[in-house]
Amino acid sequence: MAASSDRHPLFIPLVLVGGLIFGFGLGYSHMARPEVVLNFLQFEDFGLLFVMFGGAAVTGIVFFLMPRVLDRAPLTGDRFERRLKSFDRNVLVGGAIFGVGWGLSGICPGAAYASLGIGNVTILWALAGMFLGAYLQGWWRSRATDDVDVTATGAD
Amino acid sequence: MVADPVPLQLAAELFPNGISRYAIGGLFVGLGAAVIYVGTGISAGASTFLESTLSYVSDQSRFQQYVTSRDWRLVFTLGIVLGAAVYAVVYQGGTWTTDVSWWRLLLGGVFVGIGTRVGKGCTSGHGVCGVGSASKTSIAGVLAFLLVAILTAQVVAALGVTP
């Protein structure tokens, strides 16, 4: 990742444009409405599948083509790589916790920001909850990591 | 009345609002991620914004790894809000607010906030970029949250909680 100082001047404008298109899509697909997501989870409207797989189809094509077209990304000089994260138990545990929250509220992060954009001020409850949850896990994991460090130092 | 052919009847049952709004919206979501990827090589997800933004106000060591990316993540999120606002002005014709109870949003938000960070991604990171990368980790993550979310929503509905 390029440091802020030597970033290409178009880096931030491009991210903004990408975000605009992304958010417009979330609005257009009605994913910014928790009711629509809850209808999907209750098997009343399967449209959400088209949103997720429609989006994944586009990224799939672009992720496949770009490394074959260009060596490096024009604005960062970074290599084009696929989004591959290591698999461990956390993926399933975290996924299940996420699922409880998604099923209870009908809201996920991107859709929550978009929901604010369509004028849904009530969604601030969900955003407050997300920041609280992200802070709780960060606090807990920071402490766990620091404990390991302390133990390691103590053993030396 | 002449009955619709079976495939059409089935489509009307499974997709009471049609499919074009979902398919077109989904293509835009993918296009937004693709635009960022083509220019920068970054496969963007929406949930890291939570941790990266917390790094502005918290010294917890967990958040410090996002200091270098927190400015563009803020811009990405601002773009999402503005893009949805463009949709609201052009197509929605005014503001729209949810009827889902505040406590469901708050409590669900806490679970989403914990789960997405522990599980390394959300519906956009795992669901759109990860699945688009044919990542086994992301496909496992999506299956985990989809199954649990369906179960949770069914239980909540069965308990008579509306909306």
Side-chain angles (χ1 to χ4, degrees):
Chain A
M1 183 77 47
S4 323
S5 50
D6 55 15
R7 265 201 202 132
H8 194 285
L10 288 179
F11 178 89
I12 292 289
L14 181 94
V15 168
L16 182 65
V17 170
L20 274 165
I21 300 170
F22 193 96
F24 179 85
L26 286 171
Y28 195 95
S29 63
H30 283 46
M31 290 300 101
R33 303 185 178 196
E35 281 88 339
V36 176
V37 175
L38 291 172
N39 280 345
F40 164 75
L41 296 173
Q42 291 162 27
F43 303 142
E44 284 160 18
D45 181 353
F46 285 84
L48 188 146
L49 291 174
F50 276 85
V51 183
M52 198 180 284
F53 290 110
V58 175
T59 57
I61 293 167
V62 175
F63 287 10
F64 176 82
L65 287 180
M66 284 319 289
R68 289 161 176 80
V69 176
L70 284 179
D71 259 357
R72 291 173 182 278
L75 302 188
T76 56
D78 290 345
R79 287 196 168 281
F80 287 111
E81 282 162 353
R82 289 153 68 210
R83 184 188 186 278
L84 301 175
K85 300 225 165 178
S86 60
F87 182 82
D88 54 38
R89 206 169 50 105
N90 277 342
V91 174
L92 299 180
V93 173
I97 298 172
F98 178 92
V100 171
W102 201 33
L104 187 61
S105 64
I107 269 297
C108 58
Y113 319 147
S115 203
L116 201 57
I118 63 168
N120 184 13
V121 284
T122 315
I123 210 67
L124 288 169
W125 286 108
L127 281 166
M130 280 179 208
F131 274 110
L132 186 62
Y135 182 78
L136 284 174
Q137 72 81 34
W139 174 80
W140 179 76
R141 290 173 106 184
S142 296
R143 216 184 46 155
T145 316
D146 293 345
D147 279 352
V148 171
D149 289 348
V150 169
T151 321
T153 320
D156 280 341
Chain B
M1 184 183 136
V2 182
D4 286 330
V6 173
L8 276 182
Q9 287 180 9
L10 212 61
E13 260 174 46
L14 300 180
F15 304 100
N17 299 305
I19 58 169
S20 64
R21 71 158 66 140
Y22 299 114
I24 293 169
L27 293 181
F28 272 104
V29 170
L31 188 65
V35 162
I36 293 175
Y37 182 76
V38 167
T40 67
I42 296 168
S43 54
S47 57
T48 311
F49 165 76
L50 300 168
E51 277 180 301
S52 68
T53 304
L54 282 167
S55 76
Y56 285 108
V57 293
S58 165
D59 292 333
Q60 298 292 337
S61 59
R62 172 78 193 167
F63 303 133
Q64 299 313 308
Q65 58 183 309
Y66 300 107
V67 166
T68 52
S69 69
R70 63 188 182 185
D71 59 343
W72 72 255
R73 291 185 191 280
L74 206 56
V75 172
F76 178 54
T77 300
L78 189 69
I80 295 175
V81 175
L82 291 176
V86 170
Y87 162 78
V89 169
V90 176
Y91 293 97
Q92 193 173 262
T95 58
W96 178 93
T97 49
T98 184
D99 287 329
V100 175
S101 335
W102 67 270
W103 66 268
R104 286 179 73 173
L105 297 172
L106 180 66
L107 192 61
V110 172
F111 277 101
V112 165
I114 297 172
T116 183
R117 301 296 69 220
V118 171
K120 307 182 188 186
C122 61
T123 34
S124 57
H126 276 322
V128 174
C129 291
V131 169
S133 300
S135 154
K136 290 196 180 95
T137 298
S138 287
I139 291 167
V142 169
L143 285 177
F145 65 61
L146 208 50
L147 292 175
V148 175
I150 287 169
L151 193 69
T152 305
Q154 303 274 356
V155 169
V156 170
L159 292 174
V161 182
T162 50

